[in-house]
Amino acid sequence: MFEVNKEWLEKLRENMHLLRQIAGYSDTNFGKLLGCSRQTISNIESRNSRLSIMQYLAIDRVFEELRKENKLLDHAVCILLDSEEISEQEKEWFTNDIYAAIGKFGRCNRHKTPMDLSLYLQEQFKEVTQNAKEVY
């Protein structure tokens, strides 16, 4: 029988919006990738609906594939979802740094795409991902 790690699932719901942005997907395109609507993605991210087992598996699989190409996404998933050795303070610092970079990008690049944001974030955090310790 398949068993869902409820703690990991809650972390995913808490961080899905940020991870999706790092991956370079709008809510519409991420929904298409998963086979659901933009509204479903919005409801999951805002915790207005529960994840079904199929959605959980699809999101896990999509992030697993995207992590192969996007080192920052891989690093973020390790920090925010997988690692139990990283303190909540360190996770908060990482999240705040990413959101600050997203804000800076948004002020300077109003007509850019979500993928442009992803590429910008990967460049801004290249050194962090290259120097990441094997803590996960």
Side-chain angles (χ1 to χ4, degrees), residues 11-23 25 27 30 41-42 44-46 63 99 102:
K11 290 178 189 178
L12 173 64
R13 287 180 64 158
E14 288 174 10
N15 295 288
M16 195 165 103
H17 181 259
L18 179 63
L19 295 172
R20 177 178 56 76
Q21 287 185 303
I22 292 169
Y25 284 87
D27 51 1
F30 197 65
I41 298 301
S42 178
I44 291 168
E45 290 178 351
S46 64
F63 279 140
Y99 276 124
I102 290 170

Side-chain angles (χ1 to χ4, degrees), residues 72-86:
L72 179 58
L73 178 63
D74 183 51
H75 187 65
V77 168
C78 289
I79 288 175
L80 300 174
L81 304 182
D82 295 342
S83 180
E84 295 181 15
E85 297 176 23
I86 296 174

Side-chain angles (χ1 to χ4, degrees):
M1 180 175 190
F2 177 76
E3 192 171 316
V4 175
N5 180 333
K6 291 181 181 180
E7 184 179 328
W8 191 90
L9 181 60
E10 186 58 32
K11 290 178 189 178
L12 173 64
R13 287 180 64 158
E14 288 174 10
N15 295 288
M16 195 165 103
H17 181 259
L18 179 63
L19 295 172
R20 177 178 56 76
Q21 287 185 303
I22 292 169
Y25 284 87
S26 66
D27 51 1
T28 300
N29 288 336
F30 197 65
K32 287 179 184 176
L33 194 61
L34 295 172
C36 62
S37 69
R38 178 205 63 78
Q39 188 60 46
T40 298
I41 298 301
S42 178
N43 285 339
I44 291 168
E45 290 178 351
S46 64
R47 298 182 185 182
N48 289 333
S49 66
R50 303 179 85 186
L51 277 172
S52 70
I53 296 287
M54 294 305 291
Q55 290 167 334
Y56 167 81
L57 291 172
I59 291 167
D60 184 48
R61 180 71 179 159
V62 165
F63 279 140
E64 183 179 315
E65 288 301 312
L66 294 173
R67 289 170 71 174
K68 294 175 184 175
E69 301 291 322
N70 185 328
K71 296 299 179 202
L72 179 58
L73 178 63
D74 183 51
H75 187 65
V77 168
C78 289
I79 288 175
L80 300 174
L81 304 182
D82 295 342
S83 180
E84 295 181 15
E85 297 176 23
I86 296 174
S87 72
E88 290 303 314
Q89 182 65 53
E90 290 171 305
K91 291 177 185 181
E92 187 176 330
W93 288 334
F94 176 77
T95 302
N96 289 342
D97 287 349
I98 296 285
Y99 276 124
I102 290 170
K104 181 178 178 184
F105 178 85
R107 287 188 298 277
C108 301
N109 300 284
R110 294 188 186 267
H111 302 290
K112 298 287 185 170
T113 67
M115 191 54 70
D116 292 328
L117 171 61
S118 177
L119 295 172
Y120 170 80
L121 291 172
Q122 290 177 63
E123 183 61 33
Q124 294 299 304
F125 291 88
K126 184 187 294 185
E127 189 175 314
V128 171
T129 57
Q130 288 174 344
N131 296 329
K133 291 181 181 178
E134 286 291 323
V135 296
Y136 29 82

